[in-house]
Amino acid sequence: MLCAVCSCIAINAQDLKVSTPQKIPSKVSEYEILGKTNEGLIVWKSGLRYNLIEAFDPYSMDLNWSRELTLPRPKVRVVEIVVFQNELYVFYVNKVKTISTLYAVKFNSQLRKISEEKEIDVYKRRLGVGGYKYNIRFDIKKANLVLVKLEKVTEEDVHTIPTIKWIDKKLNIIGERSSEVENNWKFQDCFVASNGTVFLVKQKTKRTILTNKPLFEEIVIESYHLDDINTKRLVFRKEKKLFNEFNVQYDEQNDKLVLAGFYSGDKQSNTVEGYFYTVCDLTKTAIYEESFSEFDEEFVSKVARKGLFDKDSQLQYFEVRNLILRRDGGALLVGESYSRVGANNSMMQFYDMRFSNRRNVQTEHYFDDVILFSINPDGTLHWNEILKKRQFSEDDDGYFSSVGFMNSSKSLNLLFNESISHNNKLSSFFIEHDGEYQMKSIFNPASFQLTPAPRYAKQISANELIIPAVSYKNEFVLVKVTF
């Protein structure tokens, strides 16, 4: 078990660099930290038909340059930008009447075009059929780029026809496969291994009355490879259990796919009863090993809410935040208590929406305790623990809440804001491999007049983390923390 939180809060960050605050252009509605090149840390800021690329010095966090992305065709929608070594792969859609064409082109790290435009896919919208969506996926080494095209054919945003295309570094299509998702099933995600294998994960929705989130009675994994025309398929189903939140990771070292998450009973669907851990081997014959572990009473009593009419305590509203693979074939499963109260906010929210006009009915966001499960390779529990925190905000989509991750070979840092206010401290649960942890202060954001958003942090090296933040004047800031 983990040790208690230390009363003395140590300083965890060895070095801290903060970029000069930037005004947010009215054209910008989203941003993404893409990664490092020899030009610096690359950040993509975008809006409707507007794409700005910026390079920050990775040591001082000074802005090296800021350039608008110029593409061969005007008025296009950029789908994805992938940074690999010192090249940027840009995927964008050009729409003419009912025909949408996906193109790709490469730029160097100075944002100069170094390849010709390549046509990747064409989609013609049919009358009475929903839209489509493109996802770009790649393995951990970025040796394989895979396009996933999803056609939406129902009103409930269920994509039923996924098509995958393998793309080489010259932007040539080298393979294509299509799958089909049956009624009441949902496409969950696609995962790519360094050997080129692609895994499609689908889930069957269970229609329940008591839950405010979908639950799934079956999970299906399909494995595709360029050199094998046969599709390997695995089906997971457990009697009297429904799959709740779960995450999927590919174990490169052991060449296996790992699924882990929470499960509920088939009746009390709002209650999380335990965790499941499944290891899939699809290299030869498709096989898997699964383990379902029910939470013990002592654990539930520490973190659960009291049920209605003084019923027994129950775990509710827990979401999976991360699944971190261990070198021995086990994993660390991270969950967080989250609930929302109030009307849904239909506004697109970016950075800090606390300064926008408030609605009559506010949406309240509660991000509370984090639960950790260190799971052995056979699915048994190594250790578990509860990290106590309380976060509350209104009408900001929880932008500054939840946790960010900094994973080193010896420890894991879960970063979080102690409060969503100007009196906030950015702190971290510093967790060692054996489960012992301390709560450590990273820095005082008020001294820089900013509020960090650790849940959107990006790790750029073994000991460096980039955290986006917003100044008190609603300006964009990057914070680099070196551990």
Side-chain angles (χ1 to χ4, degrees):
M1 297 293 289
L2 302 181
C3 67
V5 176
C6 293
S7 58
C8 177
I9 297 182
I11 300 298
N12 194 18
Q14 298 176 353
D15 186 47
L16 194 75
K17 299 289 185 183
V18 179
S19 69
T20 301
Q22 299 173 292
K23 291 183 179 180
I24 303 169
S26 59
K27 295 180 179 180
V28 171
S29 59
E30 299 179 26
Y31 73 93
E32 186 175 347
I33 302 171
L34 296 177
K36 284 200 301 186
T37 69
N38 55 11
E39 286 288 294
L41 179 69
I42 303 298
V43 176
W44 168 30
K45 296 179 180 178
S46 62
L48 182 63
R49 296 175 181 172
Y50 178 78
N51 296 278
L52 187 69
I53 306 297
E54 295 182 332
F56 291 82
D57 186 289
Y59 303 102
S60 66
M61 294 307 297
D62 293 333
L63 179 64
N64 288 339
W65 50 259
S66 180
R67 298 166 187 166
E68 190 170 348
L69 180 64
T70 303
L71 294 167
R73 297 171 186 271
K75 298 180 179 180
V76 299
R77 175 175 60 88
V78 177
V79 174
E80 187 72 75
I81 300 178
V82 179
V83 169
F84 177 67
Q85 294 179 348
N86 290 308
E87 295 180 343
L88 279 68
Y89 296 72
V90 182
F91 296 83
Y92 52 95
V93 171
N94 182 59
K95 185 176 180 181
V96 179
K97 295 183 179 179
T98 61
I99 305 224
S100 298
T101 306
L102 178 71
Y103 295 97
V105 67
K106 287 200 297 185
F107 291 81
N108 64 15
S109 57
Q110 292 84 31
L111 214 59
R112 295 186 177 91
K113 190 162 71 76
I114 58 174
S115 80
E116 295 301 318
E117 177 186 69
K118 292 289 184 73
E119 181 181 298
I120 305 297
D121 189 71
V122 177
Y123 178 82
K124 182 176 181 179
R125 185 158 183 168
R126 301 182 301 276
L127 185 65
V129 177
Y132 67 97
K133 181 179 181 181
Y134 289 121
N135 290 328
I136 307 298
R137 295 289 184 262
F138 45 84
D139 63 283
I140 192 171
K141 299 177 181 178
K142 294 185 180 177
N144 302 276
L145 291 177
V146 173
L147 166 71
V148 184
K149 180 174 74 172
L150 303 171
E151 296 187 49
K152 185 174 66 179
V153 298
T154 69
E155 296 180 355
E156 298 179 356
D157 199 32
V158 177
H159 298 93
T160 62
I161 307 175
T163 300
I164 55 177
K165 293 186 179 184
W166 286 265
I167 305 168
D168 66 15
K169 293 301 176 61
K170 295 181 180 180
L171 302 178
N172 297 314
I173 299 171
I174 57 177
E176 179 177 342
R177 300 285 176 81
S178 290
S179 179
E180 192 168 334
V181 181
E182 301 83 358
N183 291 335
N184 297 326
W185 285 75
K186 287 185 65 176
F187 170 84
Q188 201 259 358
D189 209 341
C190 170
F191 302 87
V192 185
S194 294
N195 61 10
T197 304
V198 175
F199 304 95
L200 290 185
V201 180
K202 300 182 287 187
Q203 50 203 16
K204 186 176 182 181
T205 304
K206 174 71 173 180
R207 301 296 178 185
T208 56
I209 298 176
L210 297 177
T211 180
N212 55 5
K213 285 194 173 185
L215 294 167
F216 311 100
E217 55 185 338
E218 288 185 60
I219 299 174
V220 167
I221 296 175
E222 295 174 345
S223 170
Y224 301 85
H225 197 278
L226 274 172
D227 301 328
D228 189 354
I229 62 173
N230 297 315
T231 300
K232 296 185 176 69
R233 195 171 191 263
L234 288 176
V235 180
F236 308 104
R237 182 183 179 93
K238 192 72 171 179
E239 187 178 356
K240 295 185 179 181
K241 289 180 172 58
L242 297 174
F243 298 102
N244 202 296
E245 288 272 340
F246 68 94
N247 202 332
V248 184
Q249 295 289 338
Y250 186 74
D251 185 347
E252 292 279 353
Q253 184 173 343
N254 299 295
D255 201 17
K256 295 179 180 179
L257 198 70
V258 178
L259 287 77
F262 304 128
Y263 69 85
S264 301
D266 59 347
K267 294 181 180 179
Q268 297 296 326
S269 53
N270 245 345
T271 303
V272 179
E273 295 186 352
Y275 74 82
F276 72 93
Y277 184 73
T278 303
V279 179
C280 312
D281 187 345
L282 296 102
T283 53
K284 295 181 181 179
T285 303
I287 58 174
Y288 69 90
E289 297 178 359
E290 66 177 13
S291 175
F292 286 78
S293 298
E294 186 176 354
F295 298 142
D296 60 49
E297 293 182 2
E298 181 181 0
F299 179 83
V300 172
S301 66
K302 291 180 180 179
V303 71
R305 301 183 179 187
K306 198 71 174 176
L308 294 174
F309 309 111
D310 293 327
K311 289 185 178 180
D312 294 338
S313 296
Q314 301 172 343
L315 261 67
Q316 294 181 324
Y317 313 117
F318 272 88
E319 298 181 348
V320 173
R321 289 289 174 254
N322 209 342
L323 176 62
I324 302 170
L325 301 181
R326 301 187 339 193
R327 293 180 180 178
D328 63 354
L332 181 69
L333 177 63
V334 184
E336 183 179 33
S337 174
Y338 168 67
S339 59
R340 180 180 63 191
V341 178
N344 292 329
N345 194 334
S346 60
M347 294 178 61
M348 179 180 291
Q349 299 182 351
F350 175 63
Y351 301 121
D352 193 350
M353 292 301 293
R354 292 173 296 167
F355 304 103
S356 64
N357 294 328
R358 292 186 179 273
R359 291 174 167 238
N360 292 330
V361 180
Q362 296 176 346
T363 301
E364 301 175 349
H365 298 273
Y366 297 86
F367 291 80
D368 295 330
D369 299 340
V370 174
I371 52 178
L372 305 177
F373 302 91
S374 183
I375 305 170
N376 293 318
D378 62 358
T380 59
L381 183 66
H382 179 204
W383 53 260
N384 63 19
E385 193 49 270
I386 304 158
L387 309 179
K388 308 295 287 187
K389 69 176 181 65
R390 291 288 184 270
Q391 293 173 316
F392 165 77
S393 63
E394 294 177 325
D395 285 347
D396 66 347
D397 211 23
Y399 182 80
F400 300 102
S401 300
S402 195
V403 293
F405 294 85
M406 173 69 194
N407 188 15
S408 68
S409 59
K410 295 182 180 180
S411 62
L412 175 69
N413 281 273
L414 269 64
L415 287 79
F416 65 100
N417 289 316
E418 291 191 18
S419 64
I420 315 303
S421 69
H422 286 178
N423 296 322
N424 168 50
K425 290 183 180 179
L426 182 70
S427 297
S428 171
F429 292 114
F430 179 78
I431 307 157
E432 299 188 45
H433 65 89
D434 58 359
E436 294 194 359
Y437 79 95
Q438 299 177 60
M439 186 174 126
K440 299 186 177 184
S441 176
I442 302 298
F443 76 105
N444 184 2
S447 61
F448 297 91
Q449 294 192 319
L450 57 83
T451 305
R455 69 186 297 190
Y456 300 107
K458 186 178 184 68
Q459 185 171 340
I460 61 171
S461 73
N463 65 337
E464 294 174 305
L465 190 73
I466 303 294
I467 307 173
V470 178
S471 75
Y472 292 172
K473 296 180 180 180
N474 207 26
E475 299 166 309
F476 179 76
V477 181
L478 291 177
V479 180
K480 187 185 79 168
V481 181
T482 303
F483 290 83

